[in-house]
Amino acid sequence: MNEIEIGRGKRGRRAYSFDDIAVVPSRRTRDPREVSTSWQIDAYHFDTPVVAAPMDSVMSPQTAVKLGQLGGLPVLDLEGLWTRYETPEPLLAEIADLAPDRYVQRMREIYSAPINPDLITLRLKEIRDSGVTVAGALSPQRTQEHWRTVVDAGVDLFVIRGTTVSAEHVSSRAEPLNLKRFIYELDVPVIVGGAGTYTAALHLMRTGAAGVLVGFGGGAAHTTRATLGIHAPMASAVADIAAARRDYLDESGGRYVHVIADGGLGTSGDIVKAIACGADAVMLGAALARATDAPGRGLHWGSEAHHHELPRGERVSVGTLGNLEEILFGPGAGADGTTNLVGALRRAMATTGYTDLKEFQRIEVVVSPHQRS
């Protein structure tokens, strides 16, 4: 790998974001109506490779049901307002109205209420009763406390999501989550992340995870690069972890682990390039928070925004552009790649001559840094 000399005592590998690359058309084009964007993980089939980020500004039980009916995979944040309060709607409205100099402290107060296991069960039941695939997310810190409640509630897929998740967390103060043992003992597929490097992802794959989230503080509401100096440019991260998937496939004798890009996916073009770099699906936060029926009311935030010691995220304004169906399937409201996300993916695949996502992962990619006008 080519390294750049940063100074006499330090060298670094050049890494690329989605803005730095582009896909290249091949010799063939296709009818967009003959392109498949379907995706399957374990026994669960989805018409679109869209996974909703488990964030209060993105997913409520109602929007989870709607996304599932539209062919995506909804993931509910089981540490969010929906599992702390019986009626969180007034608090969501309050968060949307908070002044910029007030929201951190007030959100800390709101999210300090304890998680209610009965509400975890209730919210997952609401989604399950609709007939869509049920997925819930916990942070690594909360997984040992609440996983039994989640599994007993009948979840189909379990997501362990943090800014970064390691298969080798070391602590002298508390017993860390043993991912390999935990996943082995569960009866449901587990998606885990984020991971930003080949080595970290390979270790997560060896725990038995069904999918690995690729991302490291690069989402619209994250400030991890500013607060911690940590960032993984997504094009390189996805390509590196796709290589880990390939090598683990050989190592394990044929076990395929899905790669899900999570972060830095603000437009349909970013989604196209994530899959071109090797992702099987994408986890969307801000892109879905722009829906008029999203609970954030045009604002977007994650748990990092109200961290009790060191906030690593913000409450950001993303605006509203259309309902969830219009965000995913159009018609597009403009030419900026923020509506008709799946339609754009389908057209990109057709324009470059590919019929399904696995084929599209083999498309030629060039380094072509783009300066937005």
Side-chain angles (χ1 to χ4, degrees):
M1 296 182 181
N2 295 326
E3 289 188 336
I4 298 171
E5 184 177 284
I6 297 169
R8 293 190 179 185
K10 181 68 71 173
R11 299 179 67 86
R13 181 167 70 100
R14 178 71 169 91
Y16 300 95
S17 70
F18 292 135
D19 278 345
D20 295 322
I21 67 167
V23 298
V24 179
S26 65
R27 62 183 177 85
R28 181 183 293 113
T29 57
R30 297 186 183 275
D31 187 328
R33 293 168 295 184
E34 298 175 1
V35 169
S36 171
T37 61
S38 65
W39 170 62
Q40 180 165 331
I41 181 168
D42 204 81
Y44 303 99
H45 180 273
F46 305 95
D47 291 334
T48 66
V50 172
V51 183
M55 304 168 82
D56 277 343
S57 56
V58 179
M59 282 286 103
S60 66
Q62 293 75 28
T63 51
V65 170
K66 187 167 185 180
L67 179 64
Q69 292 171 339
L70 291 171
L73 171 58
V75 184
L76 189 68
D77 180 9
L78 301 180
E79 300 176 35
L81 298 181
W82 296 95
T83 59
R84 297 175 191 262
Y85 298 93
E86 290 189 12
T87 55
E89 291 88 350
L91 293 169
L92 288 163
E94 180 185 349
I95 290 172
D97 290 336
L98 289 171
D101 62 349
R102 172 71 176 141
Y103 76 84
V104 173
Q105 182 56 39
R106 178 57 183 143
M107 287 174 71
R108 281 175 172 165
E109 294 169 357
I110 291 171
Y111 281 91
S112 66
I115 296 170
N116 184 339
D118 291 337
L119 287 177
I120 292 178
T121 301
L122 177 63
R123 303 311 184 194
L124 293 175
K125 183 179 184 300
E126 288 180 48
I127 302 171
R128 172 169 289 284
D129 286 349
S130 72
V132 304
T133 301
V134 184
L138 291 170
S139 65
Q141 296 82 4
R142 297 279 193 172
T143 294
Q144 296 203 83
E145 182 180 357
H146 295 293
W147 72 267
R148 175 60 68 185
T149 301
V150 176
V151 173
D152 288 347
V155 73
D156 295 314
L157 291 155
F158 192 102
V159 179
I160 302 174
R161 183 178 186 256
T163 302
T164 183
V165 177
S166 166
E168 297 182 5
H169 181 66
V170 178
S171 174
S172 60
R173 298 167 59 182
E175 182 181 356
L177 175 66
N178 186 322
L179 270 177
K180 188 169 186 177
R181 185 179 64 196
F182 174 77
I183 291 173
Y184 178 79
E185 292 176 353
L186 280 186
D187 292 328
V188 299
V190 177
I191 298 171
V192 61
T197 66
Y198 171 97
T199 301
L202 188 59
H203 281 249
L204 290 177
M205 292 173 186
R206 288 169 177 163
T207 67
V212 172
L213 299 171
V214 183
F216 204 83
H222 282 260
T223 60
T224 307
R225 182 166 182 164
T227 55
L228 300 182
I230 297 173
H231 179 59
M234 283 294 289
S236 293
V238 171
D240 284 346
I241 293 175
R245 176 187 61 204
R246 177 201 62 209
D247 293 346
Y248 179 70
L249 187 70
D250 292 339
E251 174 188 306
S252 64
R255 186 173 180 273
Y256 189 91
V257 178
H258 293 265
V259 172
I260 303 169
D262 178 14
L265 298 156
T267 67
S268 54
D270 295 330
I271 296 170
V272 169
K273 290 182 274 190
I275 293 172
C277 286
D280 297 290
V282 294
M283 178 171 275
L284 301 181
L288 300 184
R290 298 187 183 108
T292 54
D293 38 3
R297 295 168 168 79
L299 295 170
H300 180 48
W301 66 90
S303 60
E304 299 84 5
H306 51 82
H307 191 275
H308 63 284
E309 291 181 352
L310 181 64
R312 301 183 302 281
E314 298 174 315
R315 185 201 61 175
V316 296
S317 176
V318 294
T320 54
L321 298 171
N323 62 36
L324 191 57
E325 186 170 5
E326 290 168 334
I327 295 290
L328 291 175
F329 301 109
D336 59 357
T338 55
T339 49
N340 198 4
L341 303 178
V342 178
L345 172 61
R346 184 183 295 275
R347 186 165 293 275
M349 293 169 64
T351 300
T352 54
Y354 293 87
T355 59
D356 62 46
L357 299 177
K358 292 305 300 178
E359 284 188 355
F360 191 64
Q361 290 174 348
R362 299 196 291 269
I363 192 172
E364 181 182 353
V365 173
V366 296
V367 177
S368 177
H370 174 60
Q371 298 296 323
R372 301 190 187 209
S373 58

